[in-house]
Amino acid sequence: MLAELTVRNLAVIEETRLAFGPGLNVITGETGAGKSLLVDALAFVLGGAADRGMMRHGADSMGVEAVFDMSEPHVQQALVELGVEVDEEDEVAVLYREVHKEGRTVSRLNGRAVPVSMLRAVGGVMVDIHGQGSHLSLLDPRFQMRVLDDFCVLGEQRSAVERAVAEARRLQSELDDAEEAIRDAEQRRDLLAFQVDEIETAAPLDGEEEALLRERHVLEHAESVRDACAAAWDALSEGDRNAADLAAEALDHLRRAPGAAEALGAQVEALESAVAQLGDVAREVRRLAESVESDPARLAEIEERVELLRRLKRKYGGSESAVLAFADDARAQLERIETAGERREELKRALDQASGRAGALAYQLSEARQQAAAALGEAVAAELREVGLERASFDIAVERDEAEDGLPAPDGRRYAFSPGGIDRVTFAARTNPGEESRPLAKVASGGETSRMMLALNSALQTASGAPSVVFDEIDAGIGSRAGEVVGRKLWAVGRRAQVLCVTHLPQIAAWADTHFRVGKAVQDGRTYSGAEPLSDRGRAEEIAGMLGAGATVARAAQEMLARAAKEKGVPSPGGEGNAL
């Protein structure tokens, strides 16, 4: 709930601070003192319009701070979903907003700078303001649908519809992605097939270019290689003084030397090995000399093959292995394209089933809403008569729009849908006889909207959903008898949520759990306004002042407070007591 509100430099308010309590908080005061300014200040800190015209004359800036009690777990969860960090020890949220004379604004949440949209989101969770066009959840079609569902206890059905719609949308999204992927793949199919065929036809081998380059080098120098091999053969074994004969002659000398086996055994063994190796080398050189030939055709073939391999590597990778890996990936993509059609058909079948289930559940929910709309309309109309809107009528329209891409319903049609189902729920009213019933946003004044919200709360026996509900101008155009009814209903709503109410009627003020009086004074030619909590005696005096003057009025005020206290089941206020 709203724990504290501090306002600085707002119109006639230089600075004031209010500490609110649970239940019904009432704000009263003379006309022009600035009661509704406090509601404006709350709307401002919750992300409302930053009107520099509201700034106190001569001030450089205007600021408002709101402190909220965050102890309720469902409120903490709602704010966590918004990305708000909740202090587990303090369990408070501090919202601050400031506008400067030159137009610059500052928004803070728990001391951290945030965009004003964050304050607006937090405000939507914490406070519902009714009056002067602020917030007005009653005018929001989504809120209207939820109100109707709450009235006919359709929470479980609605949750089932939301889950079914979410599943249908998930499958639709997956199908859309699959079809887009197939379209993209179809455009690539020919390219992939060409690439695979090009690589498979070339059939590159890992390390092939390196081997071809070695062979090309030999072919390019075939004559030089052949001449070198011939000369080497002649030097090794054919010439008059060839290496093989000389080595053999040296070996023969060593063997004939006396004691050769003992003194020259290692050298003899080494020379024997050398003679054998010279023979092997000579034979290999001779073979090469005979085998190496100029082959222009093979050289051209190698050149063509090397160019092909290099072209493939430029297109598909820096090596033969990379080219082969590219081909493997392309083949896998082609295979997925072939199976994507099957997956698409599976998704279509699953989507048809999910849409059919969502459509059936949404249609059942719609039928239940149709039945409940008349009952809720009658209940609200009865409550409206009690709060001074005797001539008002209240209607609830539950309508469906056909759409080709909508959910299939059991009646054979397709309807546009949202997470809440296939309905458009519209609250409409006629405030004066002879007029047409029109949506609330087009017919309701601030006071009428506030009373309609109060009537809804009373009919539903629940609060709006926000921890704090603000009613401004709720007493516009109603008399004392209706005022007492409105006060009782406001107090009843305050049992379930914190209520803040600005009022001119003593009959409403008498029901307050906490009562503030806003007053103003002129000092040194400047007007100052501020708010103070009232004690029991202060409440009696304030209500008497609202009634008129004189001893009779004072007694009437005491009786009014006593009657309200009795119905509330609390001690009757009397004498000087603690501030409420």
Side-chain angles (χ1 to χ4, degrees), residues 1-2 20-26 467-469 490-501 511-514 568:
M1 68 175 190
L2 178 62
F20 296 101
L24 175 58
N25 293 258
V26 165
S468 299
V469 188
L490 286 169
W491 174 81
V493 172
R495 300 307 88 196
R496 303 180 295 275
Q498 182 191 47
V499 177
L500 278 64
C501 177
W511 288 86
D513 297 308
T514 304
K568 290 161 61 175

Side-chain angles (χ1 to χ4, degrees), residues 326-543:
F326 184 94
D328 291 339
D329 182 65
R331 278 190 289 269
Q333 290 186 55
L334 284 170
E335 185 177 350
R336 286 195 294 270
I337 292 173
E338 296 302 323
T339 59
E342 299 176 6
R343 175 58 179 161
R344 176 174 55 189
E345 294 306 314
E346 291 176 2
L347 286 171
K348 283 183 177 180
R349 290 192 293 270
L351 176 60
D352 287 342
Q353 294 176 357
S355 297
R357 172 174 169 75
L361 291 172
Y363 192 80
Q364 293 172 9
L365 178 60
S366 179
E367 292 290 292
R369 285 172 175 158
Q370 296 275 4
Q371 296 174 8
L376 178 57
E378 291 177 3
V380 173
E383 294 288 342
L384 289 174
R385 287 191 291 271
E386 290 192 19
V387 296
L389 293 174
E390 296 87 354
R391 297 182 177 182
S393 67
F394 192 86
D395 303 305
I396 300 175
V398 181
E399 299 171 308
R400 308 168 189 153
D401 295 323
E402 292 190 47
E404 291 184 3
D405 58 349
L407 290 178
D411 62 2
R413 300 177 180 178
R414 286 182 171 268
Y415 295 106
F417 64 99
S418 69
I422 57 176
D423 299 313
R424 282 188 299 107
V425 175
T426 306
F427 287 1
R430 184 181 65 241
T431 55
N432 295 298
E435 295 181 355
E436 291 184 353
S437 183
R438 294 187 296 171
L440 293 185
K442 298 182 178 180
V443 301
S445 67
E448 289 169 340
T449 303
S450 296
R451 276 181 278 167
M452 286 181 180
M453 188 65 199
L454 179 59
L456 264 177
N457 272 294
S458 298
L460 295 169
Q461 290 300 301
T462 183
S464 68
S468 299
V469 188
V470 180
F471 292 99
D472 190 17
E473 291 190 339
I474 196 169
D475 51 11
I478 64 174
S480 59
R481 180 174 299 179
E484 186 168 351
V485 174
V486 170
R488 183 185 298 108
K489 291 184 181 296
L490 286 169
W491 174 81
V493 172
R495 300 307 88 196
R496 303 180 295 275
Q498 182 191 47
V499 177
L500 278 64
C501 177
V502 176
T503 184
H504 299 86
L505 285 180
Q507 289 82 4
I508 293 178
W511 288 86
D513 297 308
T514 304
H515 190 160
F516 297 92
R517 176 173 56 202
V518 177
K520 65 179 180 178
V522 177
Q523 183 178 351
D524 298 329
R526 294 296 303 274
T527 301
Y528 296 85
S529 179
E532 61 176 348
L534 297 179
S535 63
D536 288 348
R537 179 176 296 176
R539 290 189 63 201
E541 292 174 353
E542 174 70 2
I543 291 175

Side-chain angles (χ1 to χ4, degrees), residues 30 47 81 91 103 192 194 206 262 285 287 443 474:
E30 60 183 287
E81 291 173 0
E91 293 185 337
L192 289 169
F194 170 80
D206 195 13
E262 291 77 10
V285 167
R287 186 190 66 77
V443 301
I474 196 169

Side-chain angles (χ1 to χ4, degrees), residues 83-95:
V84 178
E85 294 182 3
V86 179
D87 191 317
E88 295 182 358
E89 294 182 1
D90 294 339
E91 293 185 337
V92 297
V94 181
L95 281 63

Side-chain angles (χ1 to χ4, degrees), residues 297-309:
R298 175 58 181 165
L299 186 60
E301 181 183 330
I302 290 174
E303 293 287 359
E304 184 179 348
R305 181 67 176 176
V306 167
E307 179 56 31
L308 172 61
L309 292 173

Side-chain angles (χ1 to χ4, degrees), residues 58-285:
D60 294 327
S61 64
M62 174 185 75
V64 180
E65 179 183 86
V67 180
F68 289 93
D69 181 341
M70 306 275 290
S71 56
E72 290 294 331
H74 73 280
V75 174
Q76 293 182 19
Q77 180 60 34
L79 293 181
V80 167
E81 291 173 0
L82 291 175
V84 178
E85 294 182 3
V86 179
D87 191 317
E88 295 182 358
E89 294 182 1
D90 294 339
E91 293 185 337
V92 297
V94 181
L95 281 63
Y96 178 77
R97 192 170 180 215
E98 182 178 76
V99 60
H100 292 258
K101 184 166 57 177
E102 69 274 13
R104 180 173 61 91
T105 62
V106 176
S107 302
R108 298 188 184 279
L109 175 59
N110 290 339
R112 297 174 58 186
V114 295
V116 69
S117 59
M118 176 60 80
L119 297 187
R120 198 174 295 123
V122 172
V125 171
M126 302 300 298
V127 181
D128 208 352
I129 300 178
H130 301 279
Q132 300 293 338
S134 302
H135 285 224
L136 294 178
S137 63
L138 180 57
L139 308 184
D140 185 345
R142 292 170 299 180
F143 176 77
Q144 295 173 0
M145 179 182 289
R146 193 164 293 279
V147 164
L148 182 60
D149 291 346
D150 289 344
F151 178 74
C152 47
V153 196
L154 297 175
E156 291 186 7
Q157 273 188 267
R158 181 188 176 100
S159 296
V161 169
E162 289 174 345
R163 290 192 297 270
V165 167
E167 175 63 10
R169 284 183 166 173
R170 184 191 67 79
L171 289 169
Q172 182 65 64
S173 176
E174 192 171 343
L175 177 60
D176 291 343
D177 291 343
E179 290 183 335
E180 183 178 359
I182 289 174
R183 286 193 297 272
D184 292 342
E186 289 290 349
Q187 295 173 1
R188 297 191 62 216
R189 180 200 292 269
D190 292 343
L191 175 60
L192 289 169
F194 170 80
Q195 291 170 333
V196 169
D197 181 67
E198 183 179 33
I199 296 172
E200 289 181 345
T201 300
L205 301 174
D206 195 13
E208 182 180 358
E209 183 183 0
E210 184 179 352
L212 288 172
L213 290 177
R214 288 196 301 269
E215 184 181 355
R216 185 182 71 176
H217 182 79
V218 171
L219 289 173
E220 286 176 339
H221 302 85
E223 186 174 351
S224 298
V225 170
R226 188 169 53 250
D227 291 345
C229 287
W233 163 254
D234 187 64
L236 286 170
S237 61
E238 288 294 317
D240 293 337
R241 300 288 289 171
N242 63 71
D245 290 346
L246 291 173
E249 183 180 341
L251 179 60
D252 185 56
H253 286 306
L254 291 178
R255 285 174 174 168
R256 289 199 302 268
E262 291 77 10
L264 300 172
Q267 287 76 12
V268 170
E269 183 179 350
L271 195 54
E272 288 174 343
S273 176
V275 169
Q277 289 180 13
L278 283 171
D280 292 341
V281 171
R283 285 188 293 275
E284 182 64 21
V285 167

